[in-house]
Amino acid sequence: MDSTHFRAAELISLFVQMQISEAELQELKNMITDFPELENWLNDRGLKMDEVEERLNYYHNLDKEVEWKLVLNKLERRESKRNNLKNWWAVAASILLAVIFGGLIFRYGTERKSIAHTALAAQKISPGKNMAVLTLSDGSKVLLDENSSQTIADGKTSLHIHNNDIAYSTGPDQEVHIHKLEVPRGGTYHIQLADGTKVWLNAESELEFPSAFTGKERIVSMKGEVYFEVAKDHIHPFKVRVNGTEVEAVGTAFNINTHLAGKRIKTILTEGRIKVRESGQSKIIDAGYEITSGQGDLQVKLADLEEALSWKDGYFYFDRKNLTDILGEVSRWYKVDIDVQVKSGNDRYRGGIRRSESIEAVCKVLSDLTGYRCVIEKNKLIVK
């Protein structure tokens, strides 16, 4: 939001409180050219005050101190890793202002019956949780959820499942089996591979990997969105294969995302160095950069590290993302279908919310950020 948005917010505040001067009212009317939505406010002050009260009641019920401490904790952790990381407090402040002021001004009216309908439908939709399906070498499947706690044997390999994650243990002369971990819509899961590499899978993602690494290379393949913290081993490089792209690391941390338009693959490096190969090309990138592949070439630029880390830490993070990408993330996490009834264009948005929040809260934030009306009907999120 720029200074014009904040000035409009200030004038609307004066208007709805009936404290606006003639000159200020004229200034507000002149803004209608840039912000047509303002005309709705000028035409029906009483209706809009009802909406203000309803929306502010929602935000007043949030524990702002807790939310703010969460943001500051993220800032402290990130700054300790990379000094020139974007100031998180500034981002948080802009999000807060965009949600409150943007929500009061730049959104269409919402009928009370639609709000009530959304709340009723949202009761049946829950945020995602820890769950996955593990396929063993003989084709048998093991369902994993938040309450799983067991040890599974596949030949001489032992899998220890506890506290929402899997840890492999290996000994000498291990048999090598190929396993697959699939995380459905509405799920996430963590696994520690036999070499100590830690892997987080986002919703609608999968990882195929050996039960033990015995060759010169450590090779896995994936789909969806996966974050890796690779165990250091300079003799045995770690390679991730995904749709014709190969990402090679020795000991580092990075996020790979294939949930992008145009079959693009984005790899964001948060620690160390990686080499990325595709179609006979290869490039080496350092921490703080991202590389896009999947379309016949490799494009490198500075990365926003929060994009790689936020989902793993339990947040939706929308920074310069378009509506299609944002709704895709929401759809995969809450297991809802998407119906967009507007032309969203190429607008990009900035905002965020915890992934543990209700779908109703997410709809409110999306309405505030975009200016569209986001409602839940049955198992569908509709953008009007």
Side-chain angles (χ1 to χ4, degrees):
M1 298 178 71
D2 57 26
S3 59
T4 306
H5 290 79
F6 289 109
R7 178 56 177 165
E10 181 182 9
L11 293 174
I12 280 292
S13 175
L14 293 172
F15 175 77
V16 296
Q17 296 176 76
M18 299 183 183
Q19 297 177 359
I20 194 168
S21 67
E22 287 297 325
E24 289 168 332
L25 179 59
Q26 186 58 49
E27 181 183 356
L28 180 58
K29 291 180 178 179
N30 292 339
M31 290 183 172
I32 292 177
T33 301
D34 294 326
F35 307 117
E37 295 87 353
L38 291 174
E39 189 169 10
N40 293 332
W41 289 79
L42 296 176
N43 290 340
D44 197 336
R45 175 191 278 116
L47 174 63
K48 297 305 173 183
M49 282 304 294
D50 286 345
E51 292 184 15
V52 170
E53 182 179 1
E54 186 164 22
R55 183 54 57 94
L56 288 182
N57 283 339
Y58 166 72
Y59 289 113
H60 287 163
N61 288 331
L62 291 176
D63 191 330
K64 302 176 186 63
E65 183 176 357
V66 171
E67 298 291 334
W68 188 247
K69 284 181 179 178
L70 288 171
V71 170
L72 294 180
N73 288 338
K74 289 170 69 65
L75 168 63
E76 184 176 340
R77 293 200 304 271
R78 301 293 180 262
E79 290 291 349
S80 66
K81 291 185 176 181
R82 185 166 181 251
N83 290 332
N84 62 343
L85 182 64
K86 178 193 299 181
N87 284 335
W88 239 92
W89 65 266
V91 175
S94 68
I95 292 172
L96 181 62
L97 288 170
V99 167
I100 294 177
F101 290 115
L104 298 182
I105 300 175
F106 307 107
R107 65 182 292 270
Y108 295 106
T110 303
E111 297 89 343
R112 290 186 177 277
K113 63 180 181 180
S114 295
I115 293 175
H117 182 79
T118 297
L120 182 61
Q123 292 177 3
K124 302 178 182 179
I125 300 173
S126 302
K129 59 183 180 180
N130 291 290
M131 61 179 177
V133 178
L134 177 66
T135 303
L136 302 177
S137 60
D138 62 358
S140 61
K141 297 181 182 295
V142 181
L143 299 180
L144 307 171
D145 58 30
E146 295 180 330
N147 300 315
S148 297
S149 181
Q150 57 184 310
T151 297
I152 298 174
D154 190 358
K156 297 181 181 180
T157 301
S158 295
L159 295 72
H160 306 286
I161 302 170
H162 185 61
N163 289 338
N164 305 324
D165 60 31
I166 307 175
Y168 277 68
S169 64
T170 60
D173 302 323
Q174 282 291 314
E175 299 172 344
V176 178
H177 303 293
I178 300 301
H179 292 170
K180 180 186 288 187
L181 187 67
E182 299 172 273
V183 176
R185 294 173 73 195
T188 184
Y189 215 81
H190 170 258
I191 181 173
Q192 180 171 302
L193 303 180
D195 65 336
T197 292
K198 297 177 181 179
V199 186
W200 288 260
L201 285 79
N202 205 348
E204 209 168 30
S205 302
E206 67 179 56
L207 178 73
E208 191 169 294
F209 57 96
S211 59
F213 295 100
T214 58
K216 295 181 179 180
E217 301 173 328
R218 298 172 287 166
I219 300 175
V220 303
S221 60
M222 59 148 287
K223 296 178 182 178
E225 184 170 19
V226 181
Y227 185 87
F228 297 87
E229 285 185 0
V230 179
K232 290 181 171 58
D233 184 343
H234 295 281
I235 299 176
H236 304 94
F238 189 93
K239 295 183 177 181
V240 181
R241 292 176 178 171
V242 47
N243 297 342
T245 292
E246 181 180 87
V247 179
E248 178 181 336
V250 174
T252 186
F254 53 93
N255 189 78
I256 302 179
N257 186 7
T258 68
H259 290 306
L260 302 172
K263 297 183 178 180
R264 294 176 299 134
I265 302 167
K266 181 188 289 187
T267 304
I268 299 177
L269 183 61
T270 59
E271 294 180 16
R273 174 180 288 188
I274 59 174
K275 177 186 287 187
V276 179
R277 300 184 183 91
E278 183 194 37
S279 303
Q281 305 177 67
S282 67
K283 289 188 178 181
I284 296 175
I285 67 170
D286 294 312
Y289 285 85
E290 67 179 49
I291 184 167
T292 303
S293 56
Q295 295 184 316
D297 63 345
L298 300 174
Q299 299 179 0
V300 179
K301 65 179 182 179
L302 282 171
D304 183 347
L305 300 188
E306 282 301 321
E307 183 179 345
L309 296 165
S310 57
W311 71 264
K312 183 174 71 71
D313 292 343
Y315 286 82
F316 286 113
Y317 176 68
F318 311 133
D319 189 15
R320 297 185 298 275
K321 288 188 177 181
N322 60 36
L323 186 60
T324 299
D325 288 341
I326 291 173
L327 293 175
E329 291 187 40
V330 172
S331 171
R332 287 187 291 274
W333 185 238
Y334 289 92
K335 295 189 292 185
V336 295
D337 297 326
I338 302 296
D339 181 8
V340 180
Q341 300 179 356
V342 298
K343 292 183 178 180
S344 57
N346 295 318
D347 293 339
R348 297 189 177 265
Y349 306 96
R350 168 175 289 176
I353 188 172
R354 289 190 298 181
R355 282 157 54 109
S356 60
E357 291 289 350
S358 68
I359 188 67
E360 181 185 17
V362 172
C363 283
K364 288 180 182 293
V365 169
L366 291 180
S367 295
D368 290 335
L369 290 179
T370 65
Y372 301 120
R373 185 156 61 95
C374 301
V375 298
I376 293 293
E377 295 182 6
K378 294 184 178 179
N379 199 51
K380 183 178 292 185
L381 193 162
I382 303 175
V383 182
K384 301 182 178 183

